[in-house]
Amino acid sequence: KAGVTQTPRYLIKTRGQQVTLSCSPISGHRSVSWYQQTPGQGLQFLFEYFSETQRNKGNFPGRFSGRQFSNSRSEMNVSTLELGDSALYLCASSTRQGANTEAFFGQGTRLTVV
Amino acid sequence: DQQVKQNSPSLSVQEGRISILNCDYTNSMFDYFLWYKKYPAEGPTFLISISSIKDKNEDGRFTVFLNKSAKHLSLHIVPSQPGDSAVYFCAASDGSARQLTFGSGTQLTVLP
């Protein structure tokens, strides 16, 4: 079956602009989580959505927001972009049938803010 | 405050030898641990996991060991192959939370 699909793969934006990233989870997966990866910081958790509701949120400013649609696809929005927002943004999906299951990641969206 | 730490940013191993990647955690609520492998320009790929009720889980060349008293886990790769060269992340979750807390990763290089 198809894996987690993230679009676009690459994006260049100017400081102050806003951006929307998209994530289509594996069919049947209802949980979508977003992570930010920057050099030396590993993967930092942004938020998790399940059944169109945000269930968990990491320690990021309010400029970072997201939503999930009824088909489990999710979008992440970053407003008023800053240079430090340049990163690889990864989404992961899981079944959430019990807590201890692995998450499957997409290839990520590489965002560059200039 | 890093709850999951991978203190070695890089590791080089000869092909055929054992690779040992280490991970320490501080949150005693963590009860499920995972290892992911990541190639450049790709998302992390799940490798192996272990529940806190176990101290060892094996899958082919990959074995994960968990020492709960020391809050330490390790990933053993035997024998190491050049294709294993990648960044390895350990991650942990605490029960019902779907949030995974990741370490900063270890770059493994397997030399032919």
Side-chain angles (χ1 to χ4, degrees):
Chain A
K1 57 183 175 183
V4 178
T5 304
Q6 289 187 248
T7 57
R9 288 293 310 278
Y10 302 94
L11 207 49
I12 299 175
K13 288 286 188 178
T14 304
R15 196 169 42 177
Q17 286 186 312
Q18 69 95 26
V19 67
T20 300
L21 311 181
S22 179
C23 172
S24 294
I26 291 172
S27 177
H29 286 193
R30 298 171 64 191
S31 170
V32 174
S33 297
W34 289 89
Y35 293 84
Q36 181 196 65
Q37 185 189 9
T38 53
Q41 290 292 321
L43 280 76
Q44 305 289 318
F45 173 76
L46 281 153
F47 27 65
E48 184 225 354
Y49 285 87
F50 181 79
S51 292
E52 303 176 63
T53 303
Q54 187 181 94
R55 300 298 176 118
N56 206 352
K57 190 177 191 307
N59 190 25
F60 277 81
R63 299 186 296 109
F64 292 82
S65 63
R67 59 177 175 168
Q68 187 179 35
F69 302 94
S70 58
N71 62 358
S72 295
R73 188 178 71 86
S74 177
E75 287 182 348
M76 190 192 92
N77 186 76
V78 188
S79 62
T80 320
L81 284 166
E82 300 176 0
L83 296 179
D85 296 334
S86 296
L88 180 67
Y89 290 88
L90 293 157
C91 84
S93 75
S94 64
T95 60
R96 214 174 191 260
Q97 290 175 358
N100 294 333
T101 57
E102 61 269 22
F104 295 85
F105 284 84
Q107 291 184 292
T109 294
R110 170 72 63 185
L111 172 64
T112 302
V113 182
V114 297
Chain B
D1 175 35
Q2 271 194 303
Q3 298 188 64
V4 178
K5 296 179 184 180
Q6 293 177 258
N7 292 318
S8 297
S10 63
L11 174 68
S12 291
V13 171
Q14 209 67 37
E15 181 179 4
R17 297 288 189 101
I18 183 172
S19 295
I20 300 176
L21 297 101
N22 294 304
C23 180
D24 297 295
Y25 62 96
T26 57
N27 188 342
S28 56
M29 297 299 291
F30 288 148
D31 62 356
Y32 192 65
F33 305 88
L34 309 92
W35 284 94
Y36 284 84
K37 179 170 73 172
K38 187 180 184 300
Y39 294 116
E42 293 185 12
T45 302
F46 169 74
L47 203 53
I48 192 169
S49 62
I50 187 167
S51 166
S52 60
I53 63 173
K54 294 185 175 182
D55 54 18
K56 177 183 173 181
N57 189 25
E58 192 171 351
D59 183 2
R61 298 187 295 115
F62 303 91
T63 304
V64 57
F65 295 91
L66 176 62
N67 182 333
K68 289 186 289 294
S69 60
K71 293 191 175 70
H72 176 83
L73 64 155
S74 60
L75 174 68
H76 292 212
I77 306 174
V78 183
S80 300
Q81 299 173 353
D84 295 330
S85 297
V87 177
Y88 288 79
F89 291 97
C90 70
S93 71
D94 58 352
S96 60
R98 285 306 306 145
Q99 171 183 347
L100 292 176
T101 302
F102 282 84
S104 55
T106 297
Q107 170 71 57
L108 172 67
T109 302
V110 180
L111 305 167

